[in-house]
Amino acid sequence: MDPLSLEEIERYKRHILLPEIGGAGQQRLKAARVLAIGAGGLGAPVLHYLAAAGVGTLGMIDDDVVSLSNLQRQVIHDTGTIGELKTESARKTIARLNPHVRTLVYEERFSQVWAHDHLPSFDLLIDGSDNFDTRYAAADAAEAAKRPLVTGAVGRFDGSVTVLKPYETSADGNLFPGYRDLFPEPPPQGLIPNCAETGIVGALTGVIGTLMAMEAIKVITGAGEPLIGRLLLYDALSARFETVRYKRRTSGRKP
């Protein structure tokens, strides 16, 4: 791993002071290559905090442009970037925040075909997409590439986060669960409306996206216990967090 410069040591001093991270953990962050799906509501805080944390290479894949209605929650963009590609808007924000971070921009939609060619060059995948097709594609691609996946989702006033490593085994020798162990099949098309139809409170995406960034930092540095086999649920209206444990299915599991 590359050593930290004096400027980086000063920038990340509050991390380095933490025994759970320290200088070695900060070097792991610097060496990490993380890919984020989406530079929108969840991707915005994920990219912001991982850039601030000193993740050395941040990739982002998104084919959308910034619109005025995005700005209520997608805080990596601003009024001056309306009409720009979200990846380009996010890239410029990251460059202003931390010049030590290298950004890789992919102006397209995530797919398993794309992942087959690109995902092996990253250490960690973070899914901040807003549709089930991409979530299942991301989970299947991460499992096939044997890359950890941090995935989150939001509704009107609620959200969830989990971490997936279905190619590794737990202390009891059993494989960790995957996304399809938690959600075996996507819901029928049109059953669950999107935020453009139902609305969403902007700060909620900040809560869930920041939790996703925290889980990514834990996975990279080895600090704490990531949400593997646990689904963290957040209800904003009641200000309540709950954790649901889940396991690998023993039968009827799709690859």
Side-chain angles (χ1 to χ4, degrees), residues 49-69:
Y49 272 102
L50 293 186
V55 169
T57 301
L58 277 177
M60 60 190 95
I61 179 167
D62 196 314
D63 64 350
D64 200 7
V65 298
V66 180
S67 65
L68 182 60
S69 63

Side-chain angles (χ1 to χ4, degrees), residues 5-247:
S5 67
L6 291 177
E7 181 182 335
E8 288 173 309
I9 291 171
E10 178 63 24
R11 179 183 285 266
Y12 308 126
K13 182 186 296 185
R14 301 302 189 275
H15 275 176
I16 295 170
L17 288 171
L18 297 168
E20 295 85 354
I21 296 179
Q26 192 61 49
Q27 284 181 286
R28 292 189 192 100
L29 288 167
K30 181 178 180 177
R33 295 172 57 88
V34 176
L35 175 66
I37 302 174
L42 294 175
V46 165
L47 291 166
H48 248 145
Y49 272 102
L50 293 186
V55 169
T57 301
L58 277 177
M60 60 190 95
I61 179 167
D62 196 314
D63 64 350
D64 200 7
V65 298
V66 180
S67 65
L68 182 60
S69 63
N70 297 149
L71 302 185
Q72 162 254 15
R73 64 199 178 281
Q74 299 180 19
V75 294
I76 204 166
H77 313 299
D78 58 50
T79 305
T81 63
I82 290 174
E84 284 188 11
L85 285 161
K86 289 183 179 178
T87 49
E88 178 60 18
S89 172
R91 184 195 66 77
K92 291 190 291 188
T93 299
I94 290 169
R96 289 192 298 269
L97 175 62
N98 191 346
H100 299 286
V101 176
R102 176 190 180 211
T103 52
L104 301 175
V105 170
Y106 304 96
E107 297 163 356
E108 52 194 297
R109 184 172 288 272
F110 183 90
S111 68
Q112 288 201 57
V113 173
W114 183 94
H116 180 270
D117 295 332
H118 295 87
L119 188 53
S121 66
F122 290 92
D123 305 312
L124 171 68
L125 179 62
I126 303 180
D127 180 17
S129 62
D130 61 358
N131 65 88
F132 288 101
D133 288 343
T134 303
R135 289 174 191 160
Y136 280 85
D140 292 343
E143 183 169 358
K146 295 185 177 180
R147 294 295 185 269
L149 170 64
V150 178
T151 183
V154 288
R156 295 168 62 247
F157 288 96
D158 61 89
S160 63
V161 183
T162 193
V163 177
L164 301 165
K165 281 190 175 184
Y167 49 86
E168 290 187 359
T169 56
S170 60
D172 59 12
N174 294 317
L175 285 167
F176 287 125
Y179 192 75
R180 291 180 182 272
D181 295 300
L182 182 59
F183 303 112
E185 298 284 349
Q189 197 76 24
L191 178 64
I192 299 179
N194 59 37
C195 70
E197 299 170 311
T198 64
I200 187 169
V201 63
L204 173 67
T205 61
V207 173
I208 300 301
T210 303
L211 287 169
M212 293 167 70
M214 184 70 240
E215 289 302 302
I217 290 169
K218 287 160 60 180
V219 170
I220 294 166
T221 63
E225 182 184 353
L227 286 167
I228 299 172
R230 295 181 294 148
L231 180 68
L232 181 65
L233 303 170
Y234 174 58
D235 181 338
L237 289 178
S238 64
R240 180 179 294 120
F241 284 96
E242 295 181 11
T243 303
V244 176
R245 293 188 176 272
Y246 60 99
K247 297 181 178 180

